[in-house]
Amino acid sequence: MTDLPRLGLGCAPIGNLFTEVSEDDARATVDAAWDAGVRLFDTAPLYGHGLSERRVGDALARRPRDEFVLSTKVGRLLVPDGPDGPTEPTIFRDVPAVHPMFDYSEAGVLRSIEESLRRLGLDRVDVVHVHDPDDHADDALTGAFPVLRRLRDEGVIGAVGAGMNQAPMLARFVREAGVDCVLLAGRYSLLDQTGLDELLPLCERDGVAVIAAGVFNSGLLADPRPGATYDYAAAPPELVARARQLDEACARHGVPLRAAALQFPLGHPAVRTVLAGARTAAEMAENAAFIDLPLPTALWDDLVSAGLLPGDVPLPA
């Protein structure tokens, strides 16, 4: 499997996640990631309904292709809106006149990759994840994964992965789908360690790389306040209160909560990369600084003793 860096840029935010991002800000975010040494860029057709892929491709067009890892996803095809506009709501703003439609078939996967390459302006992608097959596991196992394994074995793509917001089905794919990596979003964070129940030990045993995404749980751990988002919806009050406890504990050690949130997943030996989204160059630069900020061991000990982390969780060195 392709070597993965400690930090990657998640490119959903520059696909106008929740709020619009200008073309200039999107390019500046990718440029700031590059300037900070980030070489993993993750996108998907869903993000901005193609907008993220196009922006990522435009920003990387002048970069040496062999110097970065590009991952995208399959499982949703973008189809034109009808005369009355999109039929489903979306959390992306000001998107093109297309909407995603689930398709995990071999033909759908091949079409999805072809269309992604066209939007990206690239001749290859390094990692292809099967995206959110929560209600389509059997279709993914019989359609998407076999064709991706074939493309990997033919050298067309570098690695096969699966990206989801849940851990149990990812564990099934590790056992049954021949994946090289998994992208676990939001389920191994300071607020949620359910990935530890089965998935992470299984990946460690089988040598499957874990990419920890959603480490801010879509916003709450970046800015723990009432009205913040958790898993792409308004955070419930009890989680806001817990996030504020985490923030206060970090503050006692002079540590930004975002730094602790970014570094926590790397304490597990199966986690190779943290994937963090950013919508501005300033956010990207902060993430890059926080991933390498020295954190005191006493911080982790205090989080455990306060009951904010379980006692058996692997902690960063």
Side-chain angles (χ1 to χ4, degrees), residues 73 127-133 145 160-164 169-170 173-174 177 179-184 211:
K73 305 178 181 73
V127 183
V128 179
H129 296 289
V130 177
H131 199 188
D132 293 340
F145 285 114
V160 177
M164 302 186 74
M169 192 173 289
L170 285 180
F173 294 148
V174 171
V179 296
D180 304 293
C181 57
V182 294
L183 193 164
L184 177 63
I211 301 164

Side-chain angles (χ1 to χ4, degrees), residues 189-191 193 221 241-253 255-265 295-316:
S189 74
L190 289 175
L191 285 171
Q193 297 90 46
L221 286 172
R242 190 171 182 86
R244 295 184 74 166
Q245 286 181 283
L246 287 162
D247 190 31
E248 291 164 3
C250 288
R252 288 194 294 271
H253 292 272
V255 171
L257 176 60
R258 284 174 58 191
L262 282 165
Q263 293 190 33
F264 165 72
L295 302 186
T297 302
L299 166 65
W300 307 113
D301 295 338
D302 284 356
L303 294 180
V304 170
S305 63
L308 295 169
L309 286 176
D312 60 349
V313 71
L315 298 172

Side-chain angles (χ1 to χ4, degrees), residues 74 109-117 128 148 151 157:
V74 295
V109 165
L110 292 173
R111 177 181 157 191
S112 181
I113 292 174
E114 180 182 0
E115 292 177 353
S116 287
L117 289 172
V128 179
L148 289 180
L151 293 175
I157 64 176

Side-chain angles (χ1 to χ4, degrees), residues 7-17 21 25-30 32-33 42 52 55-56 216 258 275-288:
L7 179 65
L9 176 62
C11 297
I14 64 170
N16 291 353
L17 176 65
V21 175
D25 282 344
R27 178 180 289 272
T29 301
V30 177
D42 176 82
S52 173
R55 287 175 164 179
V56 170
F216 301 136
R258 284 174 58 191
L275 194 67
R279 67 180 72 251
T280 66
E283 285 182 6
M284 180 61 247
E286 272 199 337
N287 288 343

